[in-house]
DNA sequence: CCGTTCACG
DNA sequence: ACGTACGTGAACGGA
């Protein structure tokens, strides 16, 4: 009753900002879709998860002892403060970079010290294993409910770009990049006798950039049959696609990823392990090959500066007060946020539209298949054996046709008896 | 409660 | 309120 009083003013606020379609067609219909996913949850193989934890706990324990032995005295390896003292005061290793509170001990800094002392390799391994044990072992186990499933909360109003987030637990950052971590994905399994269908967008942010910037080279690259990074490298380094080296491809790939974040020459140089001068040359070559990407970025920042906010293609706004800060660094950070918001935000809008559409199609066809997870550009469904074909078809349809851009939205589909299998 | 670190897209 | 790549959430240590 009291809530009814909110409808007129909130409705007017939506109208005034042109947000009515985004709300009516995407955000509001998405609420029950996410609610069902939370309620359904995802099944976890608890026994298997526990076995992973056991192995990791043993290794962490051993590494912990070795590290303290190499330090020459007991200390809390998990304490960055104590570790700083050991590395930079006692062992005399060269500090690489600073944080607010002292010298950094992050993995990138440690990696630069590799070979200078045997403690470094042990620490890197310790960090990796301890992360897996604590965050994805113990903590995930504690979230498994009496029904053998994990029920996260999917936040619709947290991320400033319009993305979803997941908490208690976060199911958006389950490991995949290392084989060791990827084992945790195997713990996520479908209902007995059913299968997982995983569908994810191929390069959605780069496609969004191609669309927004209307860059002919980038659009062409997506319409050719070439691998996108190879096609990009060919243009950047002015060689035939067939002559692109692996090193050139990986440089092109790194730029493409950094693009949506407003990466500069320094950032590129750090990630490529080349000099800032070389990185600067590569970045210049990129923007010469794709000039409209450059002008899109510039225009986006300028518009945001004037209005105080960015807007996605669907009208979603993000205020960026940092753009009028008197502090140069703060202002620069604001510029990168402005560049990124329209890109990450449009990809999120498209993905949400796909979720709503997919849910409607599952309902329309009275399928038992159900959405159990989503991760930014990926959906995971559990599917009974007799619905494989139908589920594939509507998932592809919903995602492929969620939005019409000037480049196709390509979707990868795969099946598995666990989350890891269905991603490989 | 903050800072650091690190997992993901 | 920050060096330099955006967006999250979580574990841990320490004040
Ligand atoms: Mg929960
Ligand atoms: Mg993808």
């Amino acid at each position: 009753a009291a809530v009814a009083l909110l409808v007129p003013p909130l409705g007017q606020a939506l109208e005034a900002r042109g947000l009515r379609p985004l709300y009516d067609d995407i955000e509001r219909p998405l609420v029950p879709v996410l609610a069902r996913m939370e309620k359904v949850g995802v099944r976890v193989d608890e026994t298997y998860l526990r076995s992973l934890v056991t192995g990791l706990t043993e290794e962490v324990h051993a590494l912990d002892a070795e590290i303290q032995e190499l330090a020459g005295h007991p200390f809390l390896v998990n304490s960055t403060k104590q570790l700083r003292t050991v590395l930079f005061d006692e062992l005399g290793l060269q500090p690489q970079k600073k944080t607010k509170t002292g010298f950094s001990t992050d993995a990138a800094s440690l990696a630069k010290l590799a070979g200078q002392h045997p403690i470094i390799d042990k620490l890197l391994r310790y960090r990796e294993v301890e992360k897996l044990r604590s965050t994805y072992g113990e903590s995930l186990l504690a979230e498994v409910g009496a029904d053998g499933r994990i029920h996260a909360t999917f936040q619709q109003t947290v991320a400033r770009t319009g993305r979803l987030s997941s908490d208690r637990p976060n199911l958006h950052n389950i490991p995949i990049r290392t084989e060791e971590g990827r084992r945790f994905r195997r713990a996520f399994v479908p209902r007995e006798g059913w299968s997982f269908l995983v569908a994810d967008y191929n390069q959605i942010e780069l496609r969004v950039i191609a669309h927004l910037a209307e860059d002919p080279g980038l659009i062409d690259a997506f319409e050719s049959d070439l691998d996108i990074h190879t096609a990009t490298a060919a243009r950047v380094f002015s060689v035939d696609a067939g002559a692109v080296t692996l090193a050139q491809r990986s440089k092109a790939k790194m730029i493409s990823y950094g693009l949506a974040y407003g990466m500069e020459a320094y950032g590129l140089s750090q990630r490529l392990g080349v000099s800032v001068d070389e990185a600067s040359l590569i970045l210049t070559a990129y923007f010469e090959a794709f000039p409209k990407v450059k002008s899109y970025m510039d225009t986006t920042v300028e518009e945001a500066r004037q209005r105080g906010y960015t807007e996605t293609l669907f009208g979603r706004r993000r205020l960026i007060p940092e753009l009028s800060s008197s502090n140069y660094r703060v202002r620069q950070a604001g510029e990168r946020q402005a560049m990124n918001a329209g890109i990450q935000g449009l990809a999120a809008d498209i993905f949400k539209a796909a979720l709503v559409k997919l849910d409607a199609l599952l309902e329309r066809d009275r399928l038992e298949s159900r959405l159990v997870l989503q991760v930014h550009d990926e959906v995971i469904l559990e599917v009974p054996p007799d619905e494989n074909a139908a589920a594939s078809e509507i998932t592809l349809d919903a995602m492929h046709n969620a939005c019409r851009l000037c480049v196709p939205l390509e979707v990868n589909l795969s099946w598995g008896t666990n989350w890891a299998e269905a991603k490989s």
Side-chain angles (χ1 to χ4, degrees):
Chain A
V3 176
L5 293 174
L6 294 171
V7 174
L10 290 177
Q12 280 166 24
L14 286 176
E15 304 287 354
R17 292 166 178 76
L19 288 168
R20 178 57 77 178
L22 181 64
Y23 180 70
D24 284 350
D25 302 338
I26 297 182
E27 296 295 350
R28 193 184 54 203
L30 184 59
V31 173
V33 177
L34 295 177
R36 270 194 294 278
M37 291 173 76
E38 292 179 2
K39 191 171 171 197
V40 167
V42 57
R43 185 175 169 223
V44 167
D45 183 340
E46 226 179 319
T47 310
Y48 171 68
L49 194 50
R50 209 172 292 285
S51 76
L52 291 181
V53 174
T54 304
L56 293 172
T57 303
E58 279 175 28
E59 189 177 353
V60 165
H61 200 80
L63 285 163
D64 188 35
E66 291 181 76
I67 289 165
Q68 297 188 57
E69 179 70 33
L70 286 164
H73 63 86
F75 75 103
L76 266 183
V77 180
N78 274 340
S79 164
T80 38
K81 188 162 183 262
Q82 293 179 34
L83 182 59
R84 265 199 287 263
T85 307
V86 169
L87 296 179
F88 307 122
D89 297 339
E90 300 170 15
L91 298 179
L93 292 163
Q94 278 307 311
Q96 300 296 310
K97 66 170 183 184
K98 273 199 220 163
T99 68
K100 248 186 272 182
T101 54
F103 297 123
S104 179
T105 70
D106 68 9
S109 303
L110 294 181
K112 290 181 183 150
L113 298 172
Q116 297 190 31
H117 194 285
I119 201 171
I120 298 298
D121 284 344
K122 297 291 179 192
L123 278 170
L124 287 167
R125 177 68 185 158
Y126 175 88
R127 283 268 175 83
E128 183 178 2
V129 177
E130 167 62 3
K131 178 78 174 184
L132 295 176
R133 184 202 62 79
S134 64
T135 305
Y136 304 103
E138 302 293 358
S139 304
L140 225 44
L141 272 172
E143 295 285 348
V144 181
D147 57 356
R149 303 176 74 98
I150 290 180
H151 303 266
T153 304
F154 298 120
Q155 304 290 348
Q156 201 175 346
T157 56
V158 169
R160 319 218 326 159
T161 52
R163 271 193 176 181
L164 299 173
S165 74
S166 165
D167 69 12
R168 297 175 53 191
N170 183 1
L171 296 180
H172 284 173
N173 68 345
I174 303 302
I176 191 169
R177 293 175 189 172
T178 67
E179 171 49 36
E180 187 118 48
R182 186 186 277 252
R183 295 181 300 164
F184 285 88
R185 288 205 175 210
R186 301 209 177 93
F188 291 80
V189 294
R191 181 173 157 176
E192 196 70 50
W194 293 26
S195 305
F196 271 158
L197 170 59
V198 176
D200 82 299
Y201 282 114
N202 178 343
Q203 294 289 346
I204 189 165
E205 287 197 0
L206 204 48
R207 288 170 197 269
V208 159
I209 292 172
H211 178 85
L212 294 172
E214 301 177 69
D215 186 279
L218 200 51
I219 294 170
D220 263 10
F222 274 120
E223 280 166 358
S224 80
D225 280 333
L226 289 172
D227 161 78
I228 184 65
H229 302 305
T230 302
T232 301
R235 286 173 190 269
V236 171
F237 299 106
S238 307
V239 297
D240 285 342
V244 170
T245 65
L246 232 72
Q248 288 173 325
R249 182 183 180 279
S250 87
K251 284 175 181 162
K253 184 175 175 181
M254 194 61 82
I255 299 182
S256 295
Y257 276 109
L259 211 55
Y261 308 144
M263 185 172 59
E264 292 176 31
Y266 173 85
L268 185 63
S269 74
Q270 289 298 296
R271 285 165 180 79
L272 290 180
V274 303
S275 70
V276 176
D277 283 347
E278 187 183 343
S280 180
L281 286 174
I282 298 172
L283 214 49
T284 302
Y286 182 94
F287 284 126
E288 273 169 16
F290 304 102
K292 294 197 76 177
V293 172
K294 172 78 175 145
S295 53
Y296 165 73
M297 295 291 183
D298 294 344
T299 306
T300 299
V301 170
E302 193 43 44
E303 259 184 39
R305 208 192 318 277
Q306 280 170 22
R307 302 192 297 200
Y309 62 87
T310 61
E311 210 172 64
T312 69
L313 200 59
F314 285 36
R316 182 189 307 281
R317 292 186 189 186
R318 172 175 176 178
L319 300 185
I320 307 185
E322 289 90 340
L323 288 171
S324 52
S325 166
S326 58
N327 179 321
Y328 173 72
R329 272 199 281 278
V330 174
R331 215 162 51 237
Q332 261 200 331
E335 290 172 6
R336 292 193 298 274
Q337 291 162 3
M339 285 185 241
N340 176 257
I343 300 163
Q344 188 180 117
L346 175 54
D349 296 340
I350 294 169
F351 181 66
K352 285 172 161 178
L355 280 175
V356 168
K357 184 162 183 171
L358 174 52
D359 182 76
L361 293 177
L362 289 169
E363 181 75 56
R364 181 198 69 186
D365 294 346
R366 300 275 183 267
L367 297 185
E368 281 193 277
S369 300
R370 46 200 195 169
L371 275 162
V372 295
L373 289 174
Q374 49 30 59
V375 191
H376 308 307
D377 70 343
E378 167 185 353
V379 297
I380 299 97
L381 296 89
E382 50 184 16
V383 178
D386 62 324
E387 291 183 4
N388 288 11
S392 287
E393 193 186 324
I394 66 172
T395 301
L396 192 59
D397 176 34
M399 292 179 74
H400 185 70
N401 299 313
C403 179
R404 179 153 238 96
L405 300 185
C406 66
V407 289
L409 286 177
E410 198 178 292
V411 176
N412 306 319
L413 287 187
S414 56
W415 293 90
T417 58
N418 64 60
W419 193 4
E421 194 182 314
K423 281 289 284 182
S424 51

